Amino acid sequence: MVRIIDEHLNIVVEKISKLFDMTTNAFEEALIAFETDNRKKALKITKNDAKINEMEEEINEDTIRVITLQAPVASDLRLLIASLKIAGQLERIADYTVNIADHVLIGEEEDETTTAVDKNISEMIKYVVEMLRVAKTAYLDQDIYLAKQVIDMDNNLDKIYTKSINKLAKTVGDTMDGEELPEANLNSVLMVKYMERAGDHVTNIAEQIFYLVKGRNYDIHHVSTLFDNGED
């Protein structure tokens, strides 16, 4: 039997899927802008961020409308709540592409250390893109194993972050008293932090998928315990 609410739920899911695509595409564009120092593309990223914000607001309105008018049962309510929170996370993740665009637009002259760290930043952006792709599939398929894969990927992202920060910290330590630290290095510190935070937000999405499937909230540590115990 087809329920009336199913049509409304499908609309929300389809819009979340589209928001995943918009956010992923924003990071792919940001990677090109970053690696090629493309100011025109950077300006376009900033402009397109408004469309992502509009999509999140639209999903929020749709979700609240369904909850208010359709009286969803528990499993439907979990889908709506998880979708609402995922939309918010995706909007925040997309904001980091604007930070990348700003970095390109600033166009500070780079030193040797910053150039080396830029390779790590590119790698981090690619990791975020892949995490988003896996998270999207996990959400659509309600697959907690893929959600766990997202969390594992974030651990690798954190390792790149630590490596980058250590390189930049060494530059600070090697700077002589009274010598001004290059602004490019300061911008690189912000960039690696932005990508680390983007990964954290994708991990939050993975946690919402666990809530959607399992019916309870899990943090990263509880997720690991769940798999260690062989729980289905």
Side-chain angles (χ1 to χ4, degrees):
M1 178 180 178
V2 178
R3 303 175 305 160
I4 295 176
I5 193 174
D6 288 335
E7 181 179 348
H8 297 282
L9 294 175
N10 289 337
I11 291 173
V12 171
V13 171
E14 287 172 3
K15 288 185 178 180
I16 291 288
S17 178
K18 183 176 180 180
L19 188 55
F20 264 112
D21 291 340
M22 294 171 71
T23 304
T24 302
N25 182 67
F27 269 92
E28 291 172 335
E29 294 292 300
L31 178 62
I32 296 172
F34 179 74
E35 292 186 333
T36 62
D37 198 29
N38 189 321
R39 296 172 64 86
K40 183 176 180 180
K41 191 172 286 291
L43 288 169
K44 183 179 178 182
I45 290 167
T46 301
K47 182 178 180 180
N48 286 344
D49 186 61
K51 296 179 181 179
I52 292 176
N53 295 340
E54 290 172 3
M55 176 60 75
E56 189 224 354
E57 291 177 5
E58 191 175 318
I59 291 170
N60 290 344
E61 292 172 1
D62 287 348
T63 303
I64 292 171
R65 188 180 303 112
V66 176
I67 292 174
T68 303
L69 300 179
Q70 298 297 327
V73 298
S75 59
D76 298 332
L77 188 59
R78 286 202 306 272
L79 174 61
L80 291 167
I81 292 173
S83 298
L84 189 67
K85 292 183 177 181
I86 288 171
Q89 294 294 330
L90 288 170
E91 187 275 330
R92 291 182 181 90
I93 293 166
D95 284 343
Y96 292 116
T97 65
V98 177
N99 296 127
I100 297 171
D102 289 344
H103 179 86
V104 173
L105 293 172
I106 289 172
E108 294 290 342
E109 184 177 349
E110 297 183 345
D111 61 13
E112 186 175 330
T113 300
T114 307
T115 301
V117 171
D118 279 354
K119 294 180 181 179
N120 291 343
I121 294 172
S122 292
E123 187 178 359
M124 293 178 80
I125 296 172
K126 292 174 184 176
Y127 249 101
V128 172
V129 168
E130 186 59 26
M131 289 173 70
L132 284 167
R133 287 175 176 158
V134 175
K136 175 190 173 183
T137 303
Y139 167 75
L140 294 175
D141 295 347
Q142 297 190 17
D143 189 329
I144 61 172
Y145 293 94
L146 286 178
K148 175 63 165 57
Q149 183 178 327
V150 170
I151 294 171
D152 292 338
M153 292 173 72
D154 186 54
N155 292 332
N156 292 329
L157 186 66
D158 288 341
K159 292 177 182 177
I160 304 172
Y161 166 75
T162 300
K163 181 171 62 175
S164 301
I165 289 297
N166 287 340
K167 283 183 181 179
L168 292 166
K170 186 177 185 302
T171 302
V172 174
D174 291 343
T175 301
M176 297 175 61
D177 292 339
E179 183 179 345
E180 186 177 352
L181 185 67
E183 188 172 350
N185 282 324
L186 298 177
N187 289 332
S188 293
V189 170
L190 291 175
M191 282 288 290
V192 295
K193 184 60 181 176
Y194 293 146
M195 293 307 98
E196 187 268 340
R197 289 297 298 142
D200 288 344
H201 284 298
V202 186
T203 298
N204 291 342
I205 290 175
E207 291 176 358
Q208 285 304 311
I209 294 167
F210 274 90
Y211 165 74
L212 169 60
V213 175
K214 306 298 292 184
R216 55 169 288 191
N217 290 311
Y218 291 89
D219 61 24
I220 294 175
H221 304 293
H222 286 138
V223 166
S224 298
T225 302
L226 184 155
F227 280 87
D228 291 341
N229 293 337
E231 185 178 336
D232 294 327

